[in-house]
Amino acid sequence: MKLEAIELRRIALPLVSPFRTSFGTQTERDVLLVRAVTSDAEGWGECVALLEPMYSSEYVEGAQHVMERFLLPRLLAQGDVTAIDVARLLAPVQGHRMAKAAVEMAVLDAELRLAGRSWAREMGAVIDRVPSGVSVGIMDTLPQLLDAVQGYVDEGYVRIKLKIEPGWDIQPVAAVRERFGDIALQVDANTAYTLADAQHLAQLDAFGLLLIEQPLPEEHVRAHAELARTVKTPICLDESIVSAQSCVDAILIGAVHIVNVKPGRVGGYLEARRIADVCAAHDIPVWCGGMLETGLGRAANAALAANPAFRLPGDISAASRFYERDIVTQPITLDEGYVRVPEGPGLGTVIDQAFLDQVTTSVTTHRA
Ligand code: NPQ
Ligand code: MG
C-alpha cells in the first residue's frame, strides 16, 4: 500500500466516574489516535499511553513526540508498506511500544479494509462473541465498592476484577466474596507490593481467586517466581510482559501462570498474537487486558479475545463502563455477559465524525 500521509489526532474524553488504582486516579482520557491515509484506503489506530508515565514509562505527549520525530519519518520514507513491515522498520527506535503499536494498528486496519478482511480473521478468531469482565477501581468505603460491584453484576459481567493496594486488599476481597458468593473474581495490584508482603498476600489464597495480577514491580520478574512459593493463587503478569521473548523468559523461570495480553504494551496486535501462540504452546492461559480504549481499540481487543488461546474473560467491558459516548457509531455493548466480535473489513468500526470533531483537541498531518 502506498502510505500517503499519517494524521495524529488528540481527543479528550471524560470518564463516567473516577478510576482509582494503586498508581493514581484517572478522571478523563487524553487519547492519541492515528489515521493512516493510503492511496486506496484509510485505517485507524489508538495509542493506549496514559496522560502520565505511571502505568508504564510511556505517556501520551511523549508518544506523539516519538511518532512525529522518529517513527513516522521512517515509515513515510518507505512509501509502500504493509503492516507486517512496520515492526521491522521501527525496530531501530528502542522501546516506545505503545506508540509503535498505534501506528501498526492504523496500517493494519487500512490493509485489511482494502483487502476486505476482518480484524477477527487476522487475529485467528474462532468465535463471534467473547465473555466480558470488568475492572473495578479502589473505593473510599466497602459499601461504595459493594454497590459498584452490584451494579456490574446486575449488568451481567461474568468476571469481576478488583484493584488492590496495601491497605485495600484482604477486606474488599472478603466483602465481595461474602456478598456475591462464587462469582469469578480476581485482583490487580499494578506492582504495589514487594516480596516482603508475601505472607500478607497469601491470605488471599482463602478466597478462591482466579489470579493475582502483577503484585510486584515490572522488572522484578524472578521475584514473582519466588512469590509463587508462598502465594498459591495463580500469578498473572501484565506490566512485566512487553514482548513474546519476555513472556517466554517469565514462563521458563516459573514467574507466571496466566498472562494478561495488552497489544499496546507489547508493540502491537501482531506481537500480541505471537504471545498468544507462545502461551498456547506452553499451556499458559491468556486473557485480553484493557487500557480504557475507545471503540477502536475495544473492537480490536474483542476480535483478539476470540482467538482460542484466550481462555479467561478479558477486561473488554461495554464502552459505557468508562464513557458516556464513544467515537464510533456502534459502541461495544454487553449482551448477557458477552460482547460481540465486530464483523466487516478491518476493525469493522465506523467513526462518529461529528462527535470525534467535537472532542478533538489537536490534529497534525504528516507526509513523506
Ligand atoms: C490494568 N487496566 O489492567 C489496567 C490499568 C489501567 C482496565 O485495569 C487510562 C488508561 C487509565 C489506561 C487506568 C485496567 C488507566 C489505564 C488503569 C489502565 O492494569
Ligand atoms: Mg493490570
Side-chain angles (χ1 to χ4, degrees), residues 190-275:
N190 288 105
T191 78
Y193 297 87
T194 70
L195 262 183
D197 300 312
Q199 286 306 336
H200 175 74
L201 290 171
Q203 294 177 69
L204 291 171
D205 293 345
F207 299 102
L209 297 174
L210 288 171
L211 57 92
I212 176 167
E213 185 179 339
Q214 199 71 43
L216 307 178
E218 177 180 341
E219 276 110 22
H220 296 193
V221 177
R222 189 196 53 69
H224 284 93
E226 198 166 329
L227 183 69
R229 280 205 278 274
T230 308
V231 174
K232 296 307 158 227
T233 302
I235 303 284
C236 171
L237 290 182
D238 172 352
E239 287 88 332
S240 294
I241 306 294
V242 294
S243 63
Q245 186 58 58
S246 70
C247 187
V248 170
D249 296 351
I251 292 170
L252 295 178
I253 65 171
V256 65
H257 308 116
I258 298 171
V259 169
N260 169 330
V261 176
K262 287 178 181 170
R265 194 193 65 222
V266 301
Y269 283 82
L270 301 180
E271 183 76 358
R273 266 219 68 179
R274 292 182 202 110
I275 290 174

Side-chain angles (χ1 to χ4, degrees), residues 15 19-21 23-26 28-29 48-51 55 134-136 161 163 188-190 213-214 238-239 260 262 265 287 289-293 315 317 321-323:
L15 300 184
F19 185 48
R20 183 174 150 201
T21 69
F23 62 78
T25 300
Q26 323 286 317
E28 71 149 12
R29 292 239 40 222
V48 298
L50 282 70
L51 202 54
Y55 165 80
V134 66
S135 182
V136 184
K161 163 168 139 172
K163 292 292 187 179
D188 186 356
N190 288 105
E213 185 179 339
Q214 199 71 43
D238 172 352
E239 287 88 332
N260 169 330
K262 287 178 181 170
R265 194 193 65 222
W287 55 283
M291 291 291 283
L292 282 60
E293 289 89 346
D315 279 344
S317 49
R321 162 69 185 87
F322 292 110
Y323 304 113

Side-chain angles (χ1 to χ4, degrees), residues 135-151:
S135 182
V136 184
I138 295 167
M139 307 274 172
D140 298 331
T141 68
L142 289 180
Q144 210 187 346
L145 175 70
L146 295 173
D147 287 352
V149 173
Q150 185 66 63

